[in-house]
Amino acid sequence: MNSEAKKRLFFKDKVVVITGSSKGIGKVTAKLLCTYGARVIINGRNADTVNATLAELQSAGFEARGAAYDVSTSEGSRKLIEESLSYFGRIDILVNNAGMSMRGNIDELDPLVFEKMFCVNVMGSVYPLIYALPHIKTSQGSVVFVSSVAGIRGLPGLSAYCSSKMALRAIAESMRLELREDNVHTGLIYVGYAKNEAGKLYMSSDGSFKPIRERKNIKTLSQEEIALAIMDNIYRRNFIMVLSGLGRLNSLMQRISPQFVEWALLKNMKKIKQMSR
């Protein structure tokens, strides 16, 4: 049996909950998992978007269900996990993908921006994790946190976003040690610059939402490349994966010479802000 056949066998009939999967990276990951025979729960806050994605998957013959709940709340996450169990009776994999970005210097930020980043990016991973974990321990499955290379070190104009993504590493590190004897896999994916879908929004310094501009003159990861990496992380039961050459260089240099990284950031601050828009 070749490696591709083994991977398909591994994912066949696995029950996968993916937060923030009605669009973007989460949706592409859900589609790919379905092609490998997984049973997927589509999640998002907007019921119409969830239902549209669900209809797309089901019309292709895939085994998928929808659960339109806000995972940044304890109640929404509890209902997501309960509904997932009612559909398939078990949970094998949780992909904490739901997230939100922001822009703005810290001296300009409404405190609401920090609150919202941690509510969505941190608690939006913690709540589903806590409710799903008893069932994932039973299946000896996987929990994957989708982070960002912005979570490796603080970047200008992204303080609230970077700090919320950094928090995911601490959670993942603690969890990995605590659950080692339970044979639960913990994964952490540092996503590099990704191709943004049309209409994607970020939170500006005053708390309002604005569209993210298309990234030009920079190499971006496709959503398919990121989805494949998420699947590979689960299949191989790896811990940390840093995507893109720039992301890996950032991670390496931050360990070797953080002073050099800070110098480079200061020198290229204007360019970094333009790339992040």
Side-chain angles (χ1 to χ4, degrees):
M1 186 182 294
N2 61 33
S3 59
E4 183 67 14
K6 288 179 180 178
K7 187 180 290 189
R8 290 187 179 278
L9 183 62
F10 173 84
F11 283 109
K12 182 173 173 54
D13 295 328
K14 289 283 196 301
V15 177
V16 188
V17 179
I18 310 175
T19 66
S21 50
S22 62
K23 54 186 177 181
I25 293 169
K27 178 180 177 179
V28 174
T29 304
K31 281 184 175 181
L32 188 58
L33 282 163
C34 282
T35 65
Y36 277 67
R39 298 177 288 177
V40 177
I41 292 85
I42 299 299
N43 163 257
R45 289 174 293 174
N46 186 292
D48 290 339
T49 309
V50 169
N51 289 334
T53 297
L54 184 62
E56 186 179 334
L57 293 175
Q58 290 181 337
S59 66
F62 297 135
E63 196 168 358
R65 298 290 188 275
Y69 296 109
D70 182 356
V71 295
S72 70
T73 70
S74 177
E75 182 69 4
S77 294
R78 181 182 63 80
K79 288 182 177 178
L80 166 63
I81 299 307
E82 287 179 351
E83 199 159 309
S84 300
L85 290 166
S86 73
Y87 288 141
F88 297 119
R90 60 182 288 150
I91 297 173
D92 298 293
I93 299 166
L94 170 65
V95 179
N96 282 311
N97 169 72
M100 181 182 292
S101 186
M102 51 71 64
R103 304 290 185 271
N105 288 347
I106 196 164
D107 61 349
E108 304 168 344
L109 292 183
D110 186 310
L112 170 67
V113 178
F114 261 94
E115 181 180 342
K116 193 66 175 178
M117 288 303 108
F118 275 77
C119 187
V120 174
N121 296 343
V122 180
M123 299 313 297
S125 292
V126 170
Y127 287 139
L129 168 65
I130 288 174
Y131 289 117
L133 202 47
H135 310 285
I136 293 174
K137 286 170 69 175
T138 298
S139 64
Q140 298 186 341
S142 292
V143 177
V144 174
F145 300 88
V146 179
S147 185
S148 164
V149 293
I152 295 172
R153 82 147 286 144
L155 299 174
L158 294 167
S159 58
Y161 179 70
C162 291
S163 54
S164 68
K165 289 298 187 179
M166 282 185 180
L168 295 180
R169 174 153 186 165
I171 295 166
E173 286 178 338
S174 296
M175 176 184 161
R176 185 168 182 252
L177 294 174
E178 293 169 2
L179 299 175
R180 182 178 293 273
E181 292 185 3
D182 296 294
N183 200 31
V184 171
H185 161 244
T186 303
L188 179 67
I189 311 288
Y190 284 118
V191 177
Y193 288 110
K195 184 174 178 59
N196 291 321
E197 62 185 346
K200 186 172 183 178
L201 304 176
Y202 70 88
M203 181 174 274
S204 63
S205 58
D206 63 0
S208 62
F209 288 95
K210 296 180 180 179
I212 296 178
R213 299 175 185 175
E214 182 183 354
R215 286 168 173 155
K216 297 180 179 179
N217 303 319
I218 180 173
K219 186 177 180 180
T220 57
L221 293 164
S222 70
Q223 294 177 350
E224 289 76 13
E225 287 175 306
I226 298 168
L228 284 167
I230 291 170
M231 286 185 60
D232 196 50
N233 179 275
I234 296 167
Y235 176 65
R236 298 182 185 279
R237 295 176 79 89
N238 289 336
F239 180 33
I240 293 175
M241 292 180 68
V242 183
L243 307 188
S244 83
L246 182 61
R248 287 188 287 273
L249 178 62
N250 180 22
S251 179
L252 176 64
M253 293 306 300
Q254 182 60 27
R255 294 196 304 271
I256 295 174
S257 179
Q259 295 87 355
F260 173 79
V261 175
E262 185 163 306
W263 171 83
L265 289 173
L266 286 169
K267 186 176 181 181
N268 295 281
M269 191 177 294
K270 184 176 180 181
K271 182 179 179 181
I272 291 166
K273 287 185 177 182
Q274 290 175 338
M275 288 164 63
S276 300
R277 288 176 183 169

